[in-house]
Amino acid sequence: ETGVTQTPRHLVMGMTNKKSLKCEQHLGHNAMYWYKQSAKKPLELMFVYSLEERVENNSVPSRFSPECPNSSHLFLHLHTLQPEDSALYLCASSQAGAEADTQYFGPGTRLTVL
Amino acid sequence: GQNIDQPTEMTATEGAIVQINCTYQTSGFNGLFWYQQHAGEAPTFLSYNVLDGLEEKGRFSSFLSRSKGYSYLLLKELQMKDSASYLCAVSDSNYQLIWGAGTKLIIKP
């Protein structure tokens, strides 16, 4: 039990659909992250919210749009995705400013784009 | 550029010892993490090293040499449940994690 939950666990969508991924952390942390994990590749950091301030990764396509309404919730809005966006999307949280700033992960959403 | 290198795959025998190496080149260093990830599951935190030396935690130990840009994760008394991917990550000067691609560890009976 990591204290970070994600829904849905699996998602299949067409390229014209709009969907959202949800993440919730129950650890009292003040930073949240979205990562993309593709087979045999390093985790790719997509977005960071720290102390409710967004740190944007400029290499993320605009078809991915994050939203962080408060320190416990994080969303990733998806629209007009491409088949190469199929991957495991992981959410994580941490306590920014702590010595180790260890990130704790949710179980991920397995996304398939047809 | 920033880079983390670790072997793609390793195989070991149940009950044995295995060492998974990680080398890194990053802009700044604020610690090195090891995570375990079973197939289809979340990465889970194993260890954190910021000073040189060996940190032992039960069957798992992690070593760091900052001057060499090198770490290893040592797993003793291997069990079948240790079959997983092991991810090495370095916290850089901006406290962002730079990740390796992971080492898939296969345990055979």
Side-chain angles (χ1 to χ4, degrees):
Chain A
E1 184 61 48
T2 63
V4 181
T5 58
Q6 290 187 242
T7 55
R9 293 293 309 275
H10 301 273
L11 178 62
V12 179
M13 58 188 289
M15 290 191 286
T16 58
N17 292 157
K18 289 184 179 181
K19 296 287 184 182
S20 295
L21 310 184
K22 179 183 176 182
C23 176
E24 184 173 359
Q25 60 96 0
H26 311 273
L27 301 170
H29 289 162
N30 57 16
M32 296 187 77
Y33 310 77
W34 279 118
Y35 284 94
K36 177 183 179 182
Q37 188 175 36
S38 303
K40 300 184 179 180
K41 289 186 176 180
L43 286 173
E44 299 173 47
L45 179 63
M46 301 177 72
F47 299 104
V48 181
Y49 279 84
S50 181
L51 301 172
E52 300 182 20
E53 179 180 330
R54 176 173 160 182
V55 178
E56 188 161 358
N57 183 333
N58 292 330
S59 65
V60 179
S62 59
R63 57 186 182 268
F64 295 92
S65 174
E67 179 189 1
C68 187
N70 55 59
S71 60
S72 299
H73 294 86
L74 185 65
F75 295 88
L76 187 64
H77 304 299
L78 316 172
H79 64 97
T80 59
L81 294 191
Q82 304 298 310
E84 60 264 28
D85 297 323
S86 298
L88 182 67
Y89 288 84
L90 291 164
C91 173
S93 71
S94 73
Q95 185 61 27
E99 180 182 353
D101 200 11
T102 302
Q103 293 182 21
Y104 294 89
F105 286 83
T109 296
R110 173 67 64 184
L111 174 67
T112 302
V113 181
L114 302 176
Chain B
Q2 308 202 89
N3 194 50
I4 309 287
D5 286 317
Q6 50 181 132
T8 303
E9 188 173 298
M10 299 181 71
T11 302
T13 305
E14 189 177 16
I17 299 174
V18 71
Q19 177 175 311
I20 303 174
N21 296 325
C22 171
T23 58
Y24 63 89
Q25 301 94 40
T26 57
S27 55
F29 179 83
N30 282 302
L32 185 143
F33 296 81
W34 284 97
Y35 282 79
Q36 180 191 60
Q37 186 178 23
H38 285 101
E41 297 184 12
T44 55
F45 170 73
L46 287 178
S47 67
Y48 170 74
N49 294 67
V50 67
L51 299 176
D52 289 351
L54 187 68
E55 295 276 346
E56 297 187 71
K57 205 183 276 188
R59 293 189 299 114
F60 292 8
S61 303
S62 56
F63 172 83
L64 175 67
S65 169
R66 289 172 297 171
S67 62
K68 295 181 179 178
Y70 168 69
S71 173
Y72 66 73
L73 181 69
L74 190 71
L75 291 74
K76 301 177 184 177
E77 301 170 17
L78 286 170
Q79 302 175 9
M80 297 303 293
K81 67 178 182 179
D82 297 329
S83 293
S85 288
Y86 292 85
L87 312 180
C88 174
V90 172
S91 179
D92 71 6
S93 56
N94 295 318
Y95 293 92
Q96 286 207 359
L97 288 186
I98 311 302
W99 294 84
T103 298
K104 182 178 181 181
L105 178 64
I106 300 168
I107 309 297
K108 295 186 174 180

